[in-house]
Amino acid sequence: MSRNIFIEQLQRGDKEALSVFVNENQNLVYRTCLAYVQNEHDAADLAQNVFLKALEKLEQYKGDSKISTWLTRIAINLSINFLRDNKKRLSHSDVDEVSIPDKSKNIEETKQTKKAVRKAIFSLPEKQRKVFILHFYLELSYKEISEITDMSISSIESLLFRARKKLKDNLQTFYKENILSTSF
Amino acid sequence: MMNCTEFKIWIESAKENEFIHPGTEIEQHFNNCEKCNKEYAGLFKAYTFMDAQRSATLPEFNSNLILNKLEEQSISNRQLKTRPIWLISRIAAVVIISAGIVAGIIVGNILNNNSNSNENPWSAEFSSLNGDQDYYSYLFD
């Protein structure tokens, strides 16, 4: 099915087209939001808003990029807005205990890890964070990141290098206060 | 076998995926060296946690919720799109009818003024009633 026909079907509210639209892109959108806000509930709510926004702005979609690229841009923008609007609440809130990736491990330990990652991600400057999330969480190539961010590949490489270093340093700083012991 | 200095050098340069899937040498030193284990355990856990996040999937409940909301939104959008056309057509009808009434009044007035300026057959008869003359005065003379 051509992209234009698909977009027309979405605009008409065709159920099957909407279903495909959501199912093919929901995890990408969710992971983008989760990487930004570091909270499963907020990420799920944001994902919903991303799709609603996309449907609202469907007429603006020119078809010059993939739908997933376009959705990622919307997800990033909404996530950034969410963080800005909820700065106070997020800075004082604790991590939630649901959806811990590995339930067999110590819950307190996992909670601490979640806190460390959240703090480290939040501490990255916006551009570094964006590039890091797109590269690590969404596993996009430099070229794909460049399409989403309109940045040059050399800028992306530089930002990614600095993001990685800063993230690692932030994590190390956090863990210096809380020494853990584990093994593979 | 790797020593602590080499291990720290590796830590400095390692990227995320290398923490998630470290080589055998790294694992061996990490598991056998208490000092390095204590110092860097958090770092390995953090990257493993982030790896789990990037495989996260949206819960089915949320997925169904999104679909329902999108269906509602698209119905609402279709209604909003037709509403202006309905409204505009009714406004246009009112404007046209009003314009017709106003035009009719104007044309009527013009025609009326034109007919008033023509000679009145009774004007001569009534011209004698001008001024102070009392029409019935001759009856009482």
PDB file of all heavy atoms in Angstrom, chain A residues 12 26-27 31 38 59 109 114 136-137 164 168 172 175 179-180 182 184, chain B residues 11-12 14 16 30 37-38 41-42 44-45 50 53-54 56 58 63 78:
ATOM      1  N   ARG A  12      -9.250   9.427   7.135  1.00  0.00           N
ATOM      2  CA  ARG A  12     -10.674   9.047   7.118  1.00  0.00           C
ATOM      3  C   ARG A  12     -11.061   8.323   8.391  1.00  0.00           C
ATOM      4  O   ARG A  12     -12.243   8.119   8.664  1.00  0.00           O
ATOM      5  CB  ARG A  12     -10.950   8.123   5.921  1.00  0.00           C
ATOM      6  CG  ARG A  12     -11.113   8.827   4.593  1.00  0.00           C
ATOM      7  CD  ARG A  12     -11.927   7.969   3.628  1.00  0.00           C
ATOM      8  NE  ARG A  12     -11.460   6.590   3.563  1.00  0.00           N
ATOM      9  CZ  ARG A  12     -10.531   6.154   2.707  1.00  0.00           C
ATOM     10  NH1 ARG A  12      -9.954   6.995   1.882  1.00  0.00           N
ATOM     11  NH2 ARG A  12     -10.151   4.883   2.709  1.00  0.00           N
ATOM     12  N   GLN A  26       4.067   1.689  18.031  1.00  0.00           N
ATOM     13  CA  GLN A  26       3.828   1.957  19.454  1.00  0.00           C
ATOM     14  C   GLN A  26       5.088   1.750  20.310  1.00  0.00           C
ATOM     15  O   GLN A  26       5.361   2.540  21.219  1.00  0.00           O
ATOM     16  CB  GLN A  26       2.693   1.095  19.977  1.00  0.00           C
ATOM     17  CG  GLN A  26       2.951  -0.394  19.947  1.00  0.00           C
ATOM     18  CD  GLN A  26       1.745  -1.204  20.357  1.00  0.00           C
ATOM     19  OE1 GLN A  26       0.634  -0.703  20.462  1.00  0.00           O
ATOM     20  NE2 GLN A  26       1.945  -2.485  20.582  1.00  0.00           N
ATOM     21  N   ASN A  27       5.851   0.700  20.027  1.00  0.00           N
ATOM     22  CA  ASN A  27       7.024   0.420  20.867  1.00  0.00           C
ATOM     23  C   ASN A  27       8.129   1.450  20.639  1.00  0.00           C
ATOM     24  O   ASN A  27       8.806   1.866  21.580  1.00  0.00           O
ATOM     25  CB  ASN A  27       7.542  -0.994  20.609  1.00  0.00           C
ATOM     26  CG  ASN A  27       6.594  -2.045  21.155  1.00  0.00           C
ATOM     27  OD1 ASN A  27       5.876  -1.795  22.128  1.00  0.00           O
ATOM     28  ND2 ASN A  27       6.570  -3.213  20.545  1.00  0.00           N
ATOM     29  N   ARG A  31       9.359   3.635  23.703  1.00  0.00           N
ATOM     30  CA  ARG A  31      10.762   3.607  24.127  1.00  0.00           C
ATOM     31  C   ARG A  31      11.376   5.004  24.106  1.00  0.00           C
ATOM     32  O   ARG A  31      12.176   5.356  24.980  1.00  0.00           O
ATOM     33  CB  ARG A  31      11.587   2.681  23.233  1.00  0.00           C
ATOM     34  CG  ARG A  31      11.340   1.231  23.512  1.00  0.00           C
ATOM     35  CD  ARG A  31      11.891   0.344  22.425  1.00  0.00           C
ATOM     36  NE  ARG A  31      11.324  -0.993  22.520  1.00  0.00           N
ATOM     37  CZ  ARG A  31      11.325  -1.888  21.555  1.00  0.00           C
ATOM     38  NH1 ARG A  31      11.913  -1.615  20.403  1.00  0.00           N
ATOM     39  NH2 ARG A  31      10.755  -3.074  21.721  1.00  0.00           N
ATOM     40  N   GLN A  38      11.898   8.425  31.858  1.00  0.00           N
ATOM     41  CA  GLN A  38      12.355   7.427  32.825  1.00  0.00           C
ATOM     42  C   GLN A  38      11.265   7.017  33.824  1.00  0.00           C
ATOM     43  O   GLN A  38      11.538   6.807  35.009  1.00  0.00           O
ATOM     44  CB  GLN A  38      13.594   7.953  33.579  1.00  0.00           C
ATOM     45  CG  GLN A  38      14.833   8.095  32.705  1.00  0.00           C
ATOM     46  CD  GLN A  38      15.388   6.759  32.236  1.00  0.00           C
ATOM     47  OE1 GLN A  38      15.487   5.802  33.008  1.00  0.00           O
ATOM     48  NE2 GLN A  38      15.723   6.677  30.962  1.00  0.00           N
ATOM     49  N   GLU A  59      -2.213  16.211   8.380  1.00  0.00           N
ATOM     50  CA  GLU A  59      -2.180  17.003   7.143  1.00  0.00           C
ATOM     51  C   GLU A  59      -0.825  17.651   6.923  1.00  0.00           C
ATOM     52  O   GLU A  59      -0.463  17.969   5.798  1.00  0.00           O
ATOM     53  CB  GLU A  59      -3.266  18.095   7.199  1.00  0.00           C
ATOM     54  CG  GLU A  59      -4.648  17.534   6.920  1.00  0.00           C
ATOM     55  CD  GLU A  59      -5.761  18.435   7.412  1.00  0.00           C
ATOM     56  OE1 GLU A  59      -5.479  19.533   7.894  1.00  0.00           O
ATOM     57  OE2 GLU A  59      -6.921  18.022   7.287  1.00  0.00           O
ATOM     58  N   GLU A 109      17.851  -2.778  45.136  1.00  0.00           N
ATOM     59  CA  GLU A 109      19.009  -2.597  44.256  1.00  0.00           C
ATOM     60  C   GLU A 109      18.554  -2.063  42.898  1.00  0.00           C
ATOM     61  O   GLU A 109      19.158  -1.138  42.339  1.00  0.00           O
ATOM     62  CB  GLU A 109      19.684  -3.958  44.067  1.00  0.00           C
ATOM     63  CG  GLU A 109      21.113  -3.895  43.595  1.00  0.00           C
ATOM     64  CD  GLU A 109      21.728  -5.290  43.526  1.00  0.00           C
ATOM     65  OE1 GLU A 109      22.257  -5.745  44.557  1.00  0.00           O
ATOM     66  OE2 GLU A 109      21.661  -5.898  42.444  1.00  0.00           O
ATOM     67  N   LYS A 114      17.627   2.309  38.961  1.00  0.00           N
ATOM     68  CA  LYS A 114      16.669   3.130  38.219  1.00  0.00           C
ATOM     69  C   LYS A 114      16.886   4.614  38.534  1.00  0.00           C
ATOM     70  O   LYS A 114      16.865   5.460  37.634  1.00  0.00           O
ATOM     71  CB  LYS A 114      15.261   2.710  38.623  1.00  0.00           C
ATOM     72  CG  LYS A 114      14.204   2.948  37.576  1.00  0.00           C
ATOM     73  CD  LYS A 114      12.896   2.311  37.988  1.00  0.00           C
ATOM     74  CE  LYS A 114      11.839   2.568  36.942  1.00  0.00           C
ATOM     75  NZ  LYS A 114      10.527   2.037  37.295  1.00  0.00           N
ATOM     76  N   PHE A 136      21.369   5.121  21.368  1.00  0.00           N
ATOM     77  CA  PHE A 136      21.409   3.943  22.239  1.00  0.00           C
ATOM     78  C   PHE A 136      20.035   3.279  22.357  1.00  0.00           C
ATOM     79  O   PHE A 136      19.882   2.094  22.136  1.00  0.00           O
ATOM     80  CB  PHE A 136      21.941   4.312  23.636  1.00  0.00           C
ATOM     81  CG  PHE A 136      21.913   3.153  24.593  1.00  0.00           C
ATOM     82  CD1 PHE A 136      22.854   2.132  24.521  1.00  0.00           C
ATOM     83  CD2 PHE A 136      20.911   3.040  25.559  1.00  0.00           C
ATOM     84  CE1 PHE A 136      22.812   1.037  25.388  1.00  0.00           C
ATOM     85  CE2 PHE A 136      20.859   1.953  26.433  1.00  0.00           C
ATOM     86  CZ  PHE A 136      21.812   0.954  26.334  1.00  0.00           C
ATOM     87  N   TYR A 137      19.024   4.075  22.739  1.00  0.00           N
ATOM     88  CA  TYR A 137      17.711   3.484  22.999  1.00  0.00           C
ATOM     89  C   TYR A 137      16.975   3.069  21.717  1.00  0.00           C
ATOM     90  O   TYR A 137      16.313   2.042  21.687  1.00  0.00           O
ATOM     91  CB  TYR A 137      16.830   4.466  23.791  1.00  0.00           C
ATOM     92  CG  TYR A 137      17.139   4.492  25.271  1.00  0.00           C
ATOM     93  CD1 TYR A 137      18.006   5.421  25.815  1.00  0.00           C
ATOM     94  CD2 TYR A 137      16.568   3.561  26.134  1.00  0.00           C
ATOM     95  CE1 TYR A 137      18.295   5.436  27.181  1.00  0.00           C
ATOM     96  CE2 TYR A 137      16.847   3.566  27.503  1.00  0.00           C
ATOM     97  CZ  TYR A 137      17.707   4.509  28.015  1.00  0.00           C
ATOM     98  OH  TYR A 137      17.985   4.519  29.359  1.00  0.00           O
ATOM     99  N   ARG A 164      28.236  10.223  26.158  1.00  0.00           N
ATOM    100  CA  ARG A 164      28.676   8.935  26.731  1.00  0.00           C
ATOM    101  C   ARG A 164      29.577   9.167  27.937  1.00  0.00           C
ATOM    102  O   ARG A 164      29.428   8.513  28.972  1.00  0.00           O
ATOM    103  CB  ARG A 164      29.452   8.146  25.690  1.00  0.00           C
ATOM    104  CG  ARG A 164      28.569   7.440  24.697  1.00  0.00           C
ATOM    105  CD  ARG A 164      29.381   6.801  23.603  1.00  0.00           C
ATOM    106  NE  ARG A 164      28.604   5.739  23.003  1.00  0.00           N
ATOM    107  CZ  ARG A 164      28.702   5.370  21.756  1.00  0.00           C
ATOM    108  NH1 ARG A 164      29.585   5.945  20.956  1.00  0.00           N
ATOM    109  NH2 ARG A 164      27.955   4.388  21.277  1.00  0.00           N
ATOM    110  N   LYS A 168      28.559   8.310  31.857  1.00  0.00           N
ATOM    111  CA  LYS A 168      29.382   7.382  32.612  1.00  0.00           C
ATOM    112  C   LYS A 168      29.894   8.044  33.898  1.00  0.00           C
ATOM    113  O   LYS A 168      29.843   7.445  34.976  1.00  0.00           O
ATOM    114  CB  LYS A 168      30.566   6.930  31.742  1.00  0.00           C
ATOM    115  CG  LYS A 168      31.261   5.674  32.263  1.00  0.00           C
ATOM    116  CD  LYS A 168      32.500   5.335  31.479  1.00  0.00           C
ATOM    117  CE  LYS A 168      32.203   4.904  30.090  1.00  0.00           C
ATOM    118  NZ  LYS A 168      33.427   4.557  29.325  1.00  0.00           N
ATOM    119  N   GLN A 172      29.019   6.943  37.711  1.00  0.00           N
ATOM    120  CA  GLN A 172      30.098   6.631  38.649  1.00  0.00           C
ATOM    121  C   GLN A 172      29.987   7.477  39.904  1.00  0.00           C
ATOM    122  O   GLN A 172      30.174   6.978  41.009  1.00  0.00           O
ATOM    123  CB  GLN A 172      31.460   6.868  37.996  1.00  0.00           C
ATOM    124  CG  GLN A 172      32.093   5.635  37.384  1.00  0.00           C
ATOM    125  CD  GLN A 172      32.278   4.506  38.375  1.00  0.00           C
ATOM    126  OE1 GLN A 172      31.384   3.674  38.556  1.00  0.00           O
ATOM    127  NE2 GLN A 172      33.430   4.464  39.008  1.00  0.00           N
ATOM    128  N   TYR A 175      27.241   6.159  42.103  1.00  0.00           N
ATOM    129  CA  TYR A 175      27.554   4.876  42.745  1.00  0.00           C
ATOM    130  C   TYR A 175      28.695   4.954  43.747  1.00  0.00           C
ATOM    131  O   TYR A 175      28.857   4.062  44.569  1.00  0.00           O
ATOM    132  CB  TYR A 175      27.825   3.798  41.698  1.00  0.00           C
ATOM    133  CG  TYR A 175      26.542   3.219  41.132  1.00  0.00           C
ATOM    134  CD1 TYR A 175      26.134   3.485  39.838  1.00  0.00           C
ATOM    135  CD2 TYR A 175      25.731   2.423  41.926  1.00  0.00           C
ATOM    136  CE1 TYR A 175      24.953   2.968  39.332  1.00  0.00           C
ATOM    137  CE2 TYR A 175      24.540   1.907  41.442  1.00  0.00           C
ATOM    138  CZ  TYR A 175      24.153   2.181  40.142  1.00  0.00           C
ATOM    139  OH  TYR A 175      22.981   1.677  39.662  1.00  0.00           O
ATOM    140  N   ILE A 179      27.974   1.875  47.138  1.00  0.00           N
ATOM    141  CA  ILE A 179      28.773   0.791  46.552  1.00  0.00           C
ATOM    142  C   ILE A 179      27.954  -0.483  46.548  1.00  0.00           C
ATOM    143  O   ILE A 179      27.414  -0.915  47.553  1.00  0.00           O
ATOM    144  CB  ILE A 179      30.077   0.549  47.357  1.00  0.00           C
ATOM    145  CG1 ILE A 179      30.867   1.831  47.468  1.00  0.00           C
ATOM    146  CG2 ILE A 179      30.890  -0.561  46.734  1.00  0.00           C
ATOM    147  CD1 ILE A 179      31.539   2.299  46.189  1.00  0.00           C
ATOM    148  N   LEU A 180      27.839  -1.089  45.343  1.00  0.00           N
ATOM    149  CA  LEU A 180      27.108  -2.347  45.224  1.00  0.00           C
ATOM    150  C   LEU A 180      28.071  -3.457  44.876  1.00  0.00           C
ATOM    151  O   LEU A 180      29.141  -3.218  44.334  1.00  0.00           O
ATOM    152  CB  LEU A 180      26.080  -2.250  44.101  1.00  0.00           C
ATOM    153  CG  LEU A 180      24.918  -1.278  44.300  1.00  0.00           C
ATOM    154  CD1 LEU A 180      24.150  -1.147  43.011  1.00  0.00           C
ATOM    155  CD2 LEU A 180      23.999  -1.761  45.401  1.00  0.00           C
ATOM    156  N   THR A 182      28.138  -7.145  42.785  1.00  0.00           N
ATOM    157  CA  THR A 182      27.376  -8.072  41.950  1.00  0.00           C
ATOM    158  C   THR A 182      28.325  -8.924  41.138  1.00  0.00           C
ATOM    159  O   THR A 182      29.535  -8.718  41.163  1.00  0.00           O
ATOM    160  CB  THR A 182      26.426  -7.293  41.014  1.00  0.00           C
ATOM    161  OG1 THR A 182      25.543  -8.216  40.385  1.00  0.00           O
ATOM    162  CG2 THR A 182      27.204  -6.578  39.935  1.00  0.00           C
ATOM    163  N   PHE A 184      28.463 -11.404  37.251  1.00  0.00           N
ATOM    164  CA  PHE A 184      27.769 -11.754  36.008  1.00  0.00           C
ATOM    165  C   PHE A 184      27.150 -13.130  36.117  1.00  0.00           C
ATOM    166  O   PHE A 184      27.661 -13.982  36.796  1.00  0.00           O
ATOM    167  CB  PHE A 184      28.762 -11.710  34.844  1.00  0.00           C
ATOM    168  CG  PHE A 184      29.216 -10.320  34.528  1.00  0.00           C
ATOM    169  CD1 PHE A 184      30.477  -9.882  34.898  1.00  0.00           C
ATOM    170  CD2 PHE A 184      28.355  -9.413  33.923  1.00  0.00           C
ATOM    171  CE1 PHE A 184      30.884  -8.583  34.622  1.00  0.00           C
ATOM    172  CE2 PHE A 184      28.768  -8.113  33.648  1.00  0.00           C
ATOM    173  CZ  PHE A 184      30.037  -7.698  33.995  1.00  0.00           C
TER     174      PHE A 184
ATOM    175  N   ILE B  11      37.436   0.446  31.318  1.00  0.00           N
ATOM    176  CA  ILE B  11      36.234   1.136  31.825  1.00  0.00           C
ATOM    177  C   ILE B  11      36.125   2.538  31.210  1.00  0.00           C
ATOM    178  O   ILE B  11      35.055   2.962  30.778  1.00  0.00           O
ATOM    179  CB  ILE B  11      36.254   1.249  33.368  1.00  0.00           C
ATOM    180  CG1 ILE B  11      36.069  -0.127  34.032  1.00  0.00           C
ATOM    181  CG2 ILE B  11      35.202   2.234  33.870  1.00  0.00           C
ATOM    182  CD1 ILE B  11      34.650  -0.644  34.128  1.00  0.00           C
ATOM    183  N   GLU B  12      37.255   3.238  31.155  1.00  0.00           N
ATOM    184  CA  GLU B  12      37.256   4.612  30.652  1.00  0.00           C
ATOM    185  C   GLU B  12      36.804   4.701  29.202  1.00  0.00           C
ATOM    186  O   GLU B  12      36.112   5.639  28.810  1.00  0.00           O
ATOM    187  CB  GLU B  12      38.680   5.215  30.745  1.00  0.00           C
ATOM    188  CG  GLU B  12      39.057   5.665  32.144  1.00  0.00           C
ATOM    189  CD  GLU B  12      38.173   6.761  32.698  1.00  0.00           C
ATOM    190  OE1 GLU B  12      37.984   7.791  32.008  1.00  0.00           O
ATOM    191  OE2 GLU B  12      37.633   6.580  33.802  1.00  0.00           O
ATOM    192  N   ALA B  14      35.249   2.105  27.373  1.00  0.00           N
ATOM    193  CA  ALA B  14      34.171   1.197  26.963  1.00  0.00           C
ATOM    194  C   ALA B  14      32.879   1.941  26.669  1.00  0.00           C
ATOM    195  O   ALA B  14      32.518   2.887  27.357  1.00  0.00           O
ATOM    196  CB  ALA B  14      33.929   0.149  28.042  1.00  0.00           C
ATOM    197  N   GLU B  16      28.552   1.620  25.795  1.00  0.00           N
ATOM    198  CA  GLU B  16      27.435   0.999  26.515  1.00  0.00           C
ATOM    199  C   GLU B  16      27.329  -0.507  26.252  1.00  0.00           C
ATOM    200  O   GLU B  16      27.195  -1.309  27.199  1.00  0.00           O
ATOM    201  CB  GLU B  16      26.103   1.646  26.104  1.00  0.00           C
ATOM    202  CG  GLU B  16      26.019   3.138  26.257  1.00  0.00           C
ATOM    203  CD  GLU B  16      26.710   3.910  25.166  1.00  0.00           C
ATOM    204  OE1 GLU B  16      26.553   3.560  23.977  1.00  0.00           O
ATOM    205  OE2 GLU B  16      27.441   4.852  25.494  1.00  0.00           O
ATOM    206  N   PHE B  30      36.488  -8.816  36.755  1.00  0.00           N
ATOM    207  CA  PHE B  30      35.378  -8.245  37.529  1.00  0.00           C
ATOM    208  C   PHE B  30      34.918  -9.197  38.636  1.00  0.00           C
ATOM    209  O   PHE B  30      34.666  -8.786  39.770  1.00  0.00           O
ATOM    210  CB  PHE B  30      34.212  -7.925  36.592  1.00  0.00           C
ATOM    211  CG  PHE B  30      33.064  -7.228  37.263  1.00  0.00           C
ATOM    212  CD1 PHE B  30      33.103  -5.874  37.528  1.00  0.00           C
ATOM    213  CD2 PHE B  30      31.944  -7.947  37.644  1.00  0.00           C
ATOM    214  CE1 PHE B  30      32.041  -5.234  38.150  1.00  0.00           C
ATOM    215  CE2 PHE B  30      30.881  -7.305  38.276  1.00  0.00           C
ATOM    216  CZ  PHE B  30      30.921  -5.954  38.530  1.00  0.00           C
ATOM    217  N   ASN B  37      35.187  -4.878  41.541  1.00  0.00           N
ATOM    218  CA  ASN B  37      33.785  -5.270  41.584  1.00  0.00           C
ATOM    219  C   ASN B  37      32.975  -4.241  42.364  1.00  0.00           C
ATOM    220  O   ASN B  37      31.943  -3.753  41.887  1.00  0.00           O
ATOM    221  CB  ASN B  37      33.658  -6.652  42.212  1.00  0.00           C
ATOM    222  CG  ASN B  37      32.225  -7.196  42.148  1.00  0.00           C
ATOM    223  OD1 ASN B  37      31.321  -6.638  42.760  1.00  0.00           O
ATOM    224  ND2 ASN B  37      32.028  -8.248  41.391  1.00  0.00           N
ATOM    225  N   LYS B  38      33.467  -3.890  43.545  1.00  0.00           N
ATOM    226  CA  LYS B  38      32.755  -2.908  44.376  1.00  0.00           C
ATOM    227  C   LYS B  38      32.691  -1.551  43.687  1.00  0.00           C
ATOM    228  O   LYS B  38      31.675  -0.866  43.730  1.00  0.00           O
ATOM    229  CB  LYS B  38      33.455  -2.763  45.722  1.00  0.00           C
ATOM    230  CG  LYS B  38      32.982  -3.753  46.757  1.00  0.00           C
ATOM    231  CD  LYS B  38      33.407  -3.350  48.151  1.00  0.00           C
ATOM    232  CE  LYS B  38      32.786  -4.331  49.149  1.00  0.00           C
ATOM    233  NZ  LYS B  38      33.403  -4.277  50.435  1.00  0.00           N
ATOM    234  N   ALA B  41      30.525  -2.093  39.967  1.00  0.00           N
ATOM    235  CA  ALA B  41      29.320  -2.937  39.864  1.00  0.00           C
ATOM    236  C   ALA B  41      28.109  -2.113  39.432  1.00  0.00           C
ATOM    237  O   ALA B  41      27.322  -2.537  38.575  1.00  0.00           O
ATOM    238  CB  ALA B  41      29.045  -3.619  41.191  1.00  0.00           C
ATOM    239  N   GLY B  42      27.974  -0.923  40.022  1.00  0.00           N
ATOM    240  CA  GLY B  42      26.846  -0.058  39.706  1.00  0.00           C
ATOM    241  C   GLY B  42      26.789   0.297  38.228  1.00  0.00           C
ATOM    242  O   GLY B  42      25.717   0.319  37.610  1.00  0.00           O
ATOM    243  N   PHE B  44      27.928  -1.390  35.660  1.00  0.00           N
ATOM    244  CA  PHE B  44      27.462  -2.533  34.865  1.00  0.00           C
ATOM    245  C   PHE B  44      25.954  -2.730  35.022  1.00  0.00           C
ATOM    246  O   PHE B  44      25.259  -3.000  34.033  1.00  0.00           O
ATOM    247  CB  PHE B  44      28.209  -3.816  35.280  1.00  0.00           C
ATOM    248  CG  PHE B  44      29.596  -3.917  34.720  1.00  0.00           C
ATOM    249  CD1 PHE B  44      30.688  -3.426  35.422  1.00  0.00           C
ATOM    250  CD2 PHE B  44      29.823  -4.497  33.480  1.00  0.00           C
ATOM    251  CE1 PHE B  44      31.979  -3.505  34.897  1.00  0.00           C
ATOM    252  CE2 PHE B  44      31.112  -4.588  32.958  1.00  0.00           C
ATOM    253  CZ  PHE B  44      32.194  -4.085  33.666  1.00  0.00           C
ATOM    254  N   LYS B  45      25.485  -2.566  36.235  1.00  0.00           N
ATOM    255  CA  LYS B  45      24.035  -2.713  36.471  1.00  0.00           C
ATOM    256  C   LYS B  45      23.241  -1.647  35.728  1.00  0.00           C
ATOM    257  O   LYS B  45      22.190  -1.925  35.154  1.00  0.00           O
ATOM    258  CB  LYS B  45      23.734  -2.604  37.975  1.00  0.00           C
ATOM    259  CG  LYS B  45      23.993  -3.874  38.748  1.00  0.00           C
ATOM    260  CD  LYS B  45      23.125  -3.942  39.995  1.00  0.00           C
ATOM    261  CE  LYS B  45      21.700  -4.369  39.714  1.00  0.00           C
ATOM    262  NZ  LYS B  45      21.593  -5.739  39.217  1.00  0.00           N
ATOM    263  N   MET B  50      19.530  -0.132  31.359  1.00  0.00           N
ATOM    264  CA  MET B  50      19.216   0.666  30.166  1.00  0.00           C
ATOM    265  C   MET B  50      18.974  -0.240  28.963  1.00  0.00           C
ATOM    266  O   MET B  50      18.126   0.052  28.117  1.00  0.00           O
ATOM    267  CB  MET B  50      20.363   1.643  29.875  1.00  0.00           C
ATOM    268  CG  MET B  50      20.365   2.824  30.860  1.00  0.00           C
ATOM    269  SD  MET B  50      21.940   3.677  30.964  1.00  0.00           S
ATOM    270  CE  MET B  50      22.143   4.280  29.314  1.00  0.00           C
ATOM    271  N   GLN B  53      15.512  -1.380  29.197  1.00  0.00           N
ATOM    272  CA  GLN B  53      14.586  -0.302  28.820  1.00  0.00           C
ATOM    273  C   GLN B  53      14.416  -0.210  27.307  1.00  0.00           C
ATOM    274  O   GLN B  53      13.325   0.068  26.811  1.00  0.00           O
ATOM    275  CB  GLN B  53      15.091   1.048  29.336  1.00  0.00           C
ATOM    276  CG  GLN B  53      14.877   1.278  30.820  1.00  0.00           C
ATOM    277  CD  GLN B  53      15.293   2.684  31.227  1.00  0.00           C
ATOM    278  OE1 GLN B  53      16.336   3.190  30.823  1.00  0.00           O
ATOM    279  NE2 GLN B  53      14.476   3.329  32.040  1.00  0.00           N
ATOM    280  N   ARG B  54      15.501  -0.417  26.575  1.00  0.00           N
ATOM    281  CA  ARG B  54      15.396  -0.251  25.124  1.00  0.00           C
ATOM    282  C   ARG B  54      14.701  -1.440  24.460  1.00  0.00           C
ATOM    283  O   ARG B  54      14.447  -1.417  23.259  1.00  0.00           O
ATOM    284  CB  ARG B  54      16.751   0.038  24.472  1.00  0.00           C
ATOM    285  CG  ARG B  54      17.722  -1.092  24.433  1.00  0.00           C
ATOM    286  CD  ARG B  54      18.977  -0.671  23.692  1.00  0.00           C
ATOM    287  NE  ARG B  54      20.032  -1.655  23.867  1.00  0.00           N
ATOM    288  CZ  ARG B  54      21.245  -1.534  23.349  1.00  0.00           C
ATOM    289  NH1 ARG B  54      21.567  -0.475  22.647  1.00  0.00           N
ATOM    290  NH2 ARG B  54      22.141  -2.476  23.536  1.00  0.00           N
ATOM    291  N   ALA B  56      11.867  -2.464  25.994  1.00  0.00           N
ATOM    292  CA  ALA B  56      10.543  -2.355  26.618  1.00  0.00           C
ATOM    293  C   ALA B  56       9.449  -2.286  25.562  1.00  0.00           C
ATOM    294  O   ALA B  56       9.648  -1.726  24.480  1.00  0.00           O
ATOM    295  CB  ALA B  56      10.490  -1.113  27.502  1.00  0.00           C
ATOM    296  N   LEU B  58       5.187  -1.468  24.931  1.00  0.00           N
ATOM    297  CA  LEU B  58       4.015  -0.790  25.487  1.00  0.00           C
ATOM    298  C   LEU B  58       2.997  -1.838  25.930  1.00  0.00           C
ATOM    299  O   LEU B  58       2.660  -2.749  25.155  1.00  0.00           O
ATOM    300  CB  LEU B  58       3.384   0.118  24.414  1.00  0.00           C
ATOM    301  CG  LEU B  58       2.223   0.995  24.877  1.00  0.00           C
ATOM    302  CD1 LEU B  58       2.729   2.077  25.828  1.00  0.00           C
ATOM    303  CD2 LEU B  58       1.535   1.637  23.677  1.00  0.00           C
ATOM    304  N   SER B  63      -2.028   0.094  24.649  1.00  0.00           N
ATOM    305  CA  SER B  63      -2.149   0.012  23.195  1.00  0.00           C
ATOM    306  C   SER B  63      -3.623   0.089  22.791  1.00  0.00           C
ATOM    307  O   SER B  63      -3.999   0.832  21.874  1.00  0.00           O
ATOM    308  CB  SER B  63      -1.525  -1.303  22.744  1.00  0.00           C
ATOM    309  OG  SER B  63      -1.662  -1.456  21.373  1.00  0.00           O
ATOM    310  N   ARG B  78     -13.891  14.389  11.853  1.00  0.00           N
ATOM    311  CA  ARG B  78     -14.799  14.368  10.693  1.00  0.00           C
ATOM    312  C   ARG B  78     -15.990  15.279  10.954  1.00  0.00           C
ATOM    313  O   ARG B  78     -16.402  16.019  10.082  1.00  0.00           O
ATOM    314  CB  ARG B  78     -15.286  12.943  10.426  1.00  0.00           C
ATOM    315  CG  ARG B  78     -14.308  12.089   9.649  1.00  0.00           C
ATOM    316  CD  ARG B  78     -15.013  10.934   8.933  1.00  0.00           C
ATOM    317  NE  ARG B  78     -15.699  10.031   9.829  1.00  0.00           N
ATOM    318  CZ  ARG B  78     -15.113   9.011  10.449  1.00  0.00           C
ATOM    319  NH1 ARG B  78     -13.841   8.765  10.282  1.00  0.00           N
ATOM    320  NH2 ARG B  78     -15.815   8.222  11.258  1.00  0.00           N
TER     321      ARG B  78
END
